[in-house]
Amino acid sequence: MDLSHRQFLKAMALLLAAPAVLGARVARALDRNKKGFDARSPKDALEAINAATAAESKSILLRVPDIAADGEQVEVLVASKIPNTELISLLVHSNIQPLALSVAILAGAEPSFSTVLHLRKTSVVTAVVQAGGKTYRVAREVKVATALQCDRAT
């Protein structure tokens, strides 16, 4: 591929400007949810992300295991069937900082993702969806098996 001097300079300018532009976007996103990520209780985290009065919804799929053998890696799948989903957040109620993550959904993108969460102990996991200026939620309990609990079961 032959690049002219002008094309090369444009490409270099874009590469040099990208970190500044992306860095500003990341900083704004972190700043927007800073209060939520700093919250020390599920109630405070829900209030920080404007979801304290979120309605229960059957249009949110939250797939978590009933029992997790290892709380270090708990696989989670979240999908929203709610039109115009803008943001999906996950909370782990027993963690010191319950708000685990928030994922912005771009217009036209499928509102679903999978991730791995860390659970300190048996906990409720809540998915919160923001769509069309309203908030919705669904919650599931995940029991974390420890060596002591496994020994007692046998």
Side-chain angles (χ1 to χ4, degrees):
M1 171 168 87
D2 288 329
L3 286 178
S4 70
H5 182 68
R6 181 173 283 152
Q7 289 172 322
F8 175 78
L9 290 176
K10 278 184 181 179
M12 290 306 293
L14 285 173
L15 284 174
L16 292 173
V21 172
L22 292 176
R25 280 189 166 172
V26 169
R28 279 196 310 270
L30 289 174
D31 191 43
R32 178 179 56 211
N33 289 325
K34 183 174 180 3
K35 190 174 178 184
F37 287 112
D38 288 344
R40 297 291 183 166
S41 73
K43 180 184 175 202
D44 291 344
L46 287 168
E47 286 175 1
I49 62 171
N50 299 319
T53 60
E56 288 285 329
S57 177
K58 293 183 180 181
S59 296
I60 304 169
L61 169 69
L62 174 59
R63 187 176 299 155
V64 294
D66 291 330
I67 299 173
D70 179 11
E72 290 290 322
Q73 294 191 358
V74 178
E75 293 185 26
V76 178
L77 171 74
V78 183
S80 172
K81 294 179 185 173
I82 301 170
N84 303 316
T85 294
E86 301 158 2
L87 187 74
I88 300 175
S89 300
L90 287 174
L91 286 86
V92 179
H93 291 236
S94 69
N95 283 2
I96 294 169
Q97 292 174 297
L99 183 57
L101 69 126
S102 288
V103 176
I105 308 297
L106 298 175
E110 181 156 344
S112 67
F113 64 89
S114 61
T115 188
V116 175
L117 295 177
H118 172 80
L119 276 68
R120 295 178 53 227
K121 57 186 177 184
T122 296
S123 182
V124 172
V125 175
T126 300
V128 176
V129 171
Q130 294 179 359
K134 296 182 180 178
T135 54
Y136 307 89
R137 67 185 167 109
V138 67
R140 302 277 185 270
E141 183 179 59
V142 179
K143 294 182 179 174
V144 176
T146 63
L148 183 60
Q149 289 173 329
C150 292
D151 290 342
R152 287 183 185 167
T154 55

